[in-house]
Amino acid sequence: MSTPPTLTINVEFGGGLELLFANQRKYQLSIPVLIPPDTTATPPSGSAPPPILSKPADITFLIRYLKENHLKERPELFVEGETVRPGILVLVNDTDWELEGEGDYALKEGDEIVFISTLHGG
Amino acid sequence: MDKGDKLPLEDYKRYGRQMILEGFGLSGQLKLQKASVVVVGAGGLGCPALQYLAAAGVGRLGIIDHDVVETSNLQRQILHNEQTVGMHKTESAAQAVRKINSRIKVDVITEPLSSLNATRVLQDYDIILDCTDNTPTRYLLSDTAVALGKPLVSGAAQRFHGQLCVYNLGPDGLCLRCLFPRPPTQTGTCEETGILGAVTGVIGNLQALEAIKIITGLHEKEPSMLIFSALGSPPFRSIKLGSKKPTCPACGKEGKKIGEIHEFDYVQFCGGPAPDWETQGLTDSEPGFRISVKELHNRLEGGDRLNVIDVRPRTEFGICQLPGSINVPLGELTANPSTYLPEDDKIETFIVCRLGNDSQIAAETLRSLDKDSPGTNKRTIKDVIGGLRAWSKDVDENFPVY
Ligand SMILES: [Zn+2]
């Protein structure tokens, strides 16, 4: 079996979020082109296994991927449910992700995704 | 501009170096002279902003703050000085601003801004600068700016980072609630957030610059946010933002859903009042689990072998520490607590931090681990009431307070 195709993206953390990721601001990641099937979900007993949906990797997947692979402490400061916690700005190539479809944005080779915590100090 | 509009003669010399700029001119200076800007917060951001607005000749400046100048402010709040420690920040800043430019009008507003007075206090000004340090006031300012139809130049800074955004600028300009409909969750820790003065300086200067651009008509009004990180390369990043959100509860075209500003509880909206960590760290809620600094002092003098763990971050431990204490930052201790229980269950463990909050979490983590370990005698694990702040106060006045 060949290894599934991957795409390379750059992820950066700012505004203090890097402290949750081993104080490392920049990551270059190889992530699967297609979202791997969720192995944690149990299929209803007696029914056939669900078909494997080949959905392209999106930012919602990236958030989960970062949480599972790189987040070092206090996950509640990064994620809330399937998305980022309130007060975190997500940028897709320097544009607010809201203009790009938010979590549904399908990642492309070479994309730069930035997570920035809003500051309130003065 | 009226044909007869002129500046006082000495102003041509004073402001000449900015008036000769392309796109600025005499009309730019006249606009500044007629303009009014209110700066909310005369701290790390407000000081540099006020300084440049005054020097540029903005005709009227409002300064809102209700704090007094403290020694720990001087590292970044550059309008205050050793002589004005103890004075209201508004008075101290006004004094400095008048020294820079005696001919501008300065309004001193020494009262806390609240949902009850915000509209009245802010309505007289053309532009509002958010130089505050807390989330409830930031939402209050955004809603009030929307209600009054005024641009809000918002700055923020923490650690090595800064952010700048102009809200409610022009008919399509988004507001804080468009971008962040829900306020950030409060994070509970008594670890103080650091800030470098030059970082607040960068953002405060940029706030003054944005205000000057808006007043003189040089602002291109593209919705964007500027992100600054002193250690980043490059240090600046500009983010493209969208315009007003139709569904925004404050500025959306579907109408205002937040109700009247004076009836809105901003503190509750942002998760309730921020805890007073110093007071909280002194509370001895569960007797028997905590030790006073005087008692700890006696125990240390007594010569017993003790396990004293300081759970502050490494950098803070490097600034000052109790003799014989070892440093295990809270995150490391809670991630791997078994490493830090002494093998010999007769050795007592005392945990200390800056104010006495994180130490309670650490002690509880070790106690519950000890409780679950079978067979052995239960260990004594206590944490220090009031932390090192209390140590400085009650045991050793030469121990640094930071
Ligand atoms: Zn809005």
Side-chain angles (χ1 to χ4, degrees):
Chain A
M1 201 180 118
S2 62
T3 46
T6 61
L7 51 86
T8 304
I9 59 163
N10 296 299
V11 172
E12 192 175 328
F13 300 101
L17 272 185
E18 66 278 9
L19 298 173
L20 306 178
F21 290 87
N23 208 12
Q24 184 181 332
R25 291 166 44 83
K26 294 184 185 186
Y27 287 77
Q28 193 172 64
L29 304 176
S30 287
I31 61 161
V33 171
L34 298 175
I35 299 177
D38 188 354
T39 48
T40 57
T42 44
S45 57
S47 67
I52 293 170
L53 300 171
S54 42
K55 198 176 153 211
D58 55 14
I59 300 189
T60 301
F61 168 71
L62 176 65
I63 292 167
R64 194 177 90 207
Y65 181 89
L66 287 169
K67 184 189 165 197
E68 287 168 1
N69 296 287
H70 296 282
L71 186 68
K72 293 285 181 286
E73 53 184 287
R74 291 180 286 178
E76 71 280 7
L77 297 185
F78 182 60
V79 289
E80 188 185 278
E82 288 273 274
T83 188
V84 288
R85 76 160 167 88
I88 292 179
L89 213 58
V90 185
L91 312 176
V92 178
N93 302 321
D94 280 341
T95 298
D96 184 1
W97 73 332
E98 270 196 26
L99 303 175
E100 305 284 352
E102 300 199 7
D104 293 334
Y105 172 83
L107 295 163
K108 292 173 195 64
E109 178 70 25
D111 271 350
E112 187 189 43
I113 312 295
V114 180
F115 297 89
I116 287 182
S117 173
T118 52
L119 310 174
H120 18 89
Chain B
M1 181 175 66
D2 294 339
K3 235 183 156 185
D5 266 350
K6 271 205 263 177
L7 290 166
L9 190 59
E10 64 267 33
D11 281 5
Y12 291 84
K13 189 180 238 172
R14 176 163 192 157
Y15 301 115
R17 292 295 277 274
Q18 63 196 41
M19 285 166 65
I20 60 174
L21 290 169
E22 189 74 27
F24 198 99
L26 172 62
S27 71
Q29 195 59 45
L30 287 163
K31 284 174 189 160
L32 286 182
Q33 192 189 59
K34 286 176 192 146
S36 57
V37 176
V38 62
V39 176
V40 187
L45 301 168
C47 285
L50 283 163
Q51 188 175 32
Y52 276 94
L53 292 171
V58 171
R60 181 181 174 199
L61 292 175
I63 310 174
I64 305 181
D65 206 306
H66 64 283
D67 283 336
V68 294
V69 180
E70 293 176 37
T71 307
S72 63
N73 300 150
L74 301 182
Q75 152 265 11
R76 67 191 181 285
Q77 305 185 11
I78 40 106
L79 291 181
H80 312 311
N81 60 65
E82 291 169 11
Q83 278 71 48
T84 64
V85 169
M87 192 186 277
H88 275 290
K89 286 186 182 177
T90 44
E91 294 292 350
S92 170
Q95 206 176 76
V97 159
R98 288 188 188 109
K99 256 186 213 163
I100 295 167
N101 197 336
S102 62
R103 301 223 318 282
I104 59 176
K105 184 175 184 317
V106 182
D107 307 325
V108 166
I109 304 154
T110 311
E111 56 182 299
L113 199 73
S114 75
S115 57
L116 298 176
N117 65 7
T119 306
R120 171 177 60 79
V121 170
L122 302 172
Q123 65 187 354
D124 292 344
Y125 300 89
D126 303 326
I127 298 178
I128 304 166
L129 259 58
D130 181 351
C131 301
T132 64
D133 61 0
N134 67 86
T135 316
T137 313
R138 291 185 180 277
Y139 279 90
L140 167 64
L141 286 175
S142 177
D143 290 349
T144 310
V146 168
L148 295 172
K150 297 179 193 296
L152 174 68
V153 183
S154 175
Q158 247 162 269
R159 300 191 179 92
F160 294 103
H161 311 290
Q163 288 166 2
L164 173 81
C165 190
V166 183
Y167 294 115
N168 202 45
L169 180 60
D172 288 329
L174 82 175
C175 80
L176 178 62
R177 286 190 197 252
C178 293
L179 204 52
F180 300 108
R182 291 170 58 201
T185 24
Q186 278 190 9
T187 57
T189 171
C190 68
E191 177 191 337
E192 185 127 71
T193 309
I195 178 69
L196 194 62
V199 170
T200 46
V202 165
I203 302 299
N205 279 359
L206 286 168
Q207 287 182 272
L209 179 57
E210 291 298 296
I212 290 167
K213 279 161 62 185
I214 295 167
I215 294 165
T216 55
L218 292 169
H219 206 287
E220 77 300 282
K221 300 189 179 174
E222 289 290 329
S224 68
M225 180 184 270
L226 191 72
I227 307 279
F228 171 70
S229 190
L231 307 181
S233 79
F236 287 99
R237 179 191 285 275
S238 180
I239 307 163
K240 198 172 152 232
L241 298 176
S243 40
K244 257 189 211 320
K245 248 203 221 160
T247 54
C248 174
C251 76
K253 62 168 185 279
E254 291 178 6
K256 194 167 141 186
K257 298 164 195 159
I258 54 167
E260 297 298 324
I261 288 173
H262 68 263
E263 287 170 356
F264 194 90
D265 190 338
Y266 288 90
V267 173
Q268 221 43 56
F269 173 65
C270 296
D276 175 356
W277 292 114
E278 186 162 357
T279 310
Q280 202 151 310
L282 287 165
T283 320
D284 193 4
S285 47
E286 287 172 278
F289 286 159
R290 309 198 75 191
I291 180 174
S292 73
V293 284
K294 284 187 173 151
E295 210 179 320
L296 177 66
H297 178 65
N298 291 339
R299 296 302 314 278
L300 287 170
E301 300 275 283
D304 289 344
R305 228 184 108 199
L306 303 175
N307 180 30
V308 182
I309 303 178
D310 186 327
V311 292
R312 291 175 299 155
R314 285 205 172 76
T315 312
E316 294 189 33
F317 185 79
I319 295 170
C320 53
Q321 65 295 121
L322 295 181
S325 61
I326 58 158
N327 184 212
V328 184
L330 181 64
E332 289 173 30
L333 186 137
T334 50
N336 225 339
S338 58
T339 322
Y340 307 105
L341 273 182
E343 292 250 327
D344 179 351
D345 57 26
K346 283 178 201 67
I347 295 180
E348 295 167 77
T349 297
F350 297 106
I351 299 180
V352 66
C353 67
R354 195 171 78 95
L355 299 175
N357 297 292
D358 289 352
S359 60
Q360 296 185 52
I361 300 170
E364 189 46 48
T365 306
L366 291 187
R367 272 195 299 268
S368 60
L369 184 77
D370 186 46
K371 196 175 70 199
D372 297 340
S373 62
T376 53
N377 295 315
K378 292 305 158 215
R379 295 170 172 85
T380 298
I381 300 157
K382 293 184 179 183
D383 85 295
V384 180
I385 300 167
L388 295 171
R389 181 66 58 90
W391 183 271
S392 305
K393 199 164 156 271
D394 298 334
V395 173
D396 179 6
E397 60 180 24
N398 290 316
F399 193 85
V401 173
Y402 65 90

